[in-house]
Amino acid sequence: MQGKDVGEQLVEAAVARFEVRNFDYIRNLLEETGYDCEWEELPDGACHAFFSADAFERAKKVVRELAPDLARHARIVEDKSELAEFRVPKAIGAIMQRPAAKLSPYKLISQLLVGLIKEEGLNLQTNTPVKSLTAEPESDKRGWTVETPRGTIRARNVLCATNGYTSHLIPQMETLIVPVRGEMSALKPPAALLERPFTCSYELIGAVGQDETLDDYLMQRPVSEGGQLMFGGGRLLAREEGIDVDDDEKVDEPVAEYLRSLPAFMDLGFGKEIEPLEAEAEWTGVMGYSRDDLPWIGGVPGMEGVFLSAGYAGHGMPNGALSGQHAAELVVAALKSEGSKGWRDYERHAVEQGRIPESYVISSERMTAARQKPRLQPKYRVKWGEEHLAKILGR
């Protein structure tokens, strides 16, 4: 935690503990429901592989300063033979983290929604974008008008889980949560990875000169489902690094080419021959990046009755479940009381009990402080070319 004061260290510890609780929550949920969503706890956990010496030194310092209850989840790996065992022989070092698991978010959410529709009568309206969110006159207790192409809804409370598109409905979040387009690929696995699949998931940090804010992510689907390598990242090569790009219908071809070049910096069992992998699918998605690097969970100042759960900066998997649950509980508390006192009391108790990090809570003070931080801007503006690709592939 180089250069950080005690307050910042405490914030990070609270966030880390919250992420561990999210893992336990999802595990328990799947044990209770039996949902088939490709959940698998990984024997070797997660491998955070570093290709940048500076980034690795910073990471080691963070691990060494962790509280004991968090330090037990992380292990520093520098031995070259062990790095080779984890298929990252070109990495400078790695942090191994346990526990870790993989799942299909699409399968999980689909089954959750089906259960809520059948058992709780959820009214789910798909393909119904919200065009505007307008406050009703103060005399009207229903609060808000939600306009869609298929009709208008009036509600006392509205929960926005809009991530990169938040400022469209909540203008004061403009520049506080910005859209960032990321790219994913489903790569056809080599035969060696069907015989000996990954035993961990991967975060690749500092590949092709990126810093740790532009890391890449990799996991393998179960062999029974095809064993595809789900590889995402490469934002270094995207137009404007994907920042302020909200169109997810296009693929950045330089990024796609980089993702197919995975064998250049991992041992996938090819031996000395390094060839790009074949992509079975390639797509993009829009994330919501927070100006102060933390999610925004809670009631929106100046918009009584409007709640928000957004700004996960591509890190929603270890945060989203309990953050969404907390936001929904705030709405329930608001429904049970007049004015904001009920949900604010609930929020305060949740922070005191460690059920939500205080740094995630939305307030006017936090918004003001966040606006003093630098806006998210492209760092590299790299131009892709055959020469750069050849360098990556070691040709």
Side-chain angles (χ1 to χ4, degrees), residues 250-263:
K250 299 177 182 178
V251 168
D252 276 304
E253 182 51 39
V255 179
E257 192 168 2
Y258 165 77
L259 296 176
R260 293 192 296 268
S261 302
L262 175 62

Side-chain angles (χ1 to χ4, degrees), residues 186-330:
L187 304 174
K188 185 175 181 179
L193 283 182
L194 295 177
E195 298 172 2
R196 181 174 163 251
F198 289 163
T199 57
C200 59
S201 61
Y202 292 91
E203 180 188 22
L204 307 178
I205 302 152
V208 296
Q210 300 182 114
D211 68 15
E212 57 263 51
T213 64
L214 294 178
D215 56 341
D216 302 328
Y217 166 77
L218 172 67
M219 55 81 71
Q220 184 177 12
R221 294 188 67 201
V223 172
S224 60
E225 299 293 333
Q228 294 88 350
L229 306 182
M230 310 302 291
F231 188 33
R235 276 184 46 221
L236 168 70
L237 302 163
R239 178 169 62 90
E240 299 299 311
E241 294 168 25
I243 297 169
D244 281 325
V245 180
D246 59 9
D247 177 5
D248 63 358
E249 294 186 358
K250 299 177 182 178
V251 168
D252 276 304
E253 182 51 39
V255 179
E257 192 168 2
Y258 165 77
L259 296 176
R260 293 192 296 268
S261 302
L262 175 62
F265 36 90
M266 281 194 69
D267 178 8
L268 303 183
F270 281 115
K272 293 184 179 180
E273 294 298 321
I274 297 176
E275 294 295 335
L277 297 178
E278 176 186 345
E280 296 186 9
E282 298 168 328
W283 67 98
T284 57
V286 175
M287 302 170 283
Y289 270 59
S290 169
R291 191 158 176 174
D292 65 2
D293 299 322
L294 295 165
W296 298 79
I297 316 296
V300 179
M303 298 181 71
E304 186 60 43
V306 175
F307 296 85
L308 178 64
S309 178
Y312 294 102
H315 206 56
M317 289 290 281
N319 278 286
L322 291 181
S323 293
Q325 182 185 71
H326 173 72
E329 289 170 347
L330 292 180

Side-chain angles (χ1 to χ4, degrees), residues 13 16-21 23-24 27 44-48 63 66-76 95-100:
R17 292 186 180 99
F18 182 67
E19 293 186 358
V20 172
R21 288 184 54 239
F23 180 92
D24 293 339
R27 175 204 276 153
D44 290 317
C47 175
H48 305 267
V63 170
L66 287 173
D69 65 310
L70 297 174
R72 65 187 179 89
H73 294 291
R75 181 171 68 90
I76 298 170
I95 306 295
M96 300 302 298
Q97 171 204 320
R98 296 180 66 182

Side-chain angles (χ1 to χ4, degrees), residues 49-54 56-57 60 77-80 83 88-94:
F50 290 81
F51 297 81
S52 159
D54 289 344
F56 186 46
E57 288 303 315
K60 287 193 294 183
V77 176
E78 298 181 89
D79 180 75
K80 286 298 181 181
L83 291 171
V88 285
K90 296 182 180 181
I92 292 168

